[in-house]
Amino acid sequence: MNVDETDLPGFGVRKDFMTHSGRRLGVVTHRDGGTELIVSAWDDPDTCQASIPLTADEATTLGNLLGGQRIVMQLTEEHREVPGISTRQFHVAAESPYRDLPMGKAAVRTRTNVSIVAIMREGEVLAAPGPDVVLRTGDLIVAVGTEEGLDRAAQILRNG
């Protein structure tokens, strides 16, 4: 995928790409730290058809959603030929009893036979997180296991 990067003097940087469907999508990062999600005309990247300002939290959440989905799709494809194995993602909610605690306190693997293979946090991937990784509100957890185990893991992360 070709990403075009354009300096916007005195304003910031625009990074965009052409989708398969012919739309030009991108992000403008302002010099003051602001972020905008943009849709430009396919034949003229300077013609903005839509602009959505994002707060830092919104930009992080969008990045986690998109990045997490890519990881889940890749793992799903890799496990397609393994009967009974699925991949799922979970968010750590503010109400989770394991928020701000090491992941090992939840004992998800011991209690469900589900493996947590990655955590998406603030646009970064923590691959193969160990039990000492502290869970944070908004973390996107990527897990692999049986459907029953994944259901139980979701309950544990939500209710304890």
Side-chain angles (χ1 to χ4, degrees), residues 1-141:
M1 179 77 41
N2 185 33
V3 175
D4 297 319
E5 184 172 328
T6 306
D7 285 327
L8 305 171
F11 196 68
V13 176
R14 180 183 74 214
K15 294 180 184 178
D16 58 0
F17 67 97
M18 185 71 74
T19 68
H20 180 71
S21 65
R23 301 297 302 257
R24 183 171 284 280
L25 295 177
V27 172
V28 174
T29 305
H30 298 264
R31 290 179 61 174
D32 66 3
T35 304
E36 284 180 79
L37 180 63
I38 60 168
V39 180
S40 301
W42 67 271
D43 58 344
D44 182 5
D46 293 329
T47 302
C48 186
Q49 295 176 326
S51 171
I52 304 168
L54 300 173
T55 66
D57 286 342
E58 291 165 343
T60 296
T61 299
L62 181 59
N64 284 345
L65 289 173
L66 295 174
Q69 185 61 32
R70 194 179 99 242
I71 291 171
V72 169
M73 287 171 34
Q74 181 180 359
L75 288 170
T76 298
E77 184 62 32
E78 290 174 4
H79 295 113
R80 184 177 305 261
E81 296 181 24
V82 182
I85 298 295
S86 297
T87 303
R88 201 178 299 170
Q89 54 188 349
F90 312 105
H91 277 96
V92 176
E95 304 81 31
S96 173
Y98 298 106
R99 177 186 50 92
D100 297 328
L101 292 176
M103 190 173 69
K105 294 280 186 186
V108 170
R109 183 173 176 86
T110 303
R111 296 166 66 185
T112 66
N113 288 323
V114 164
S115 294
I116 294 176
V117 296
I119 296 175
M120 291 287 301
R121 177 182 293 157
E122 298 178 1
E124 294 185 30
V125 177
L126 305 172
D132 56 333
V133 172
V134 175
L135 297 175
R136 302 284 183 225
T137 300
D139 282 355
L140 181 71
I141 293 175

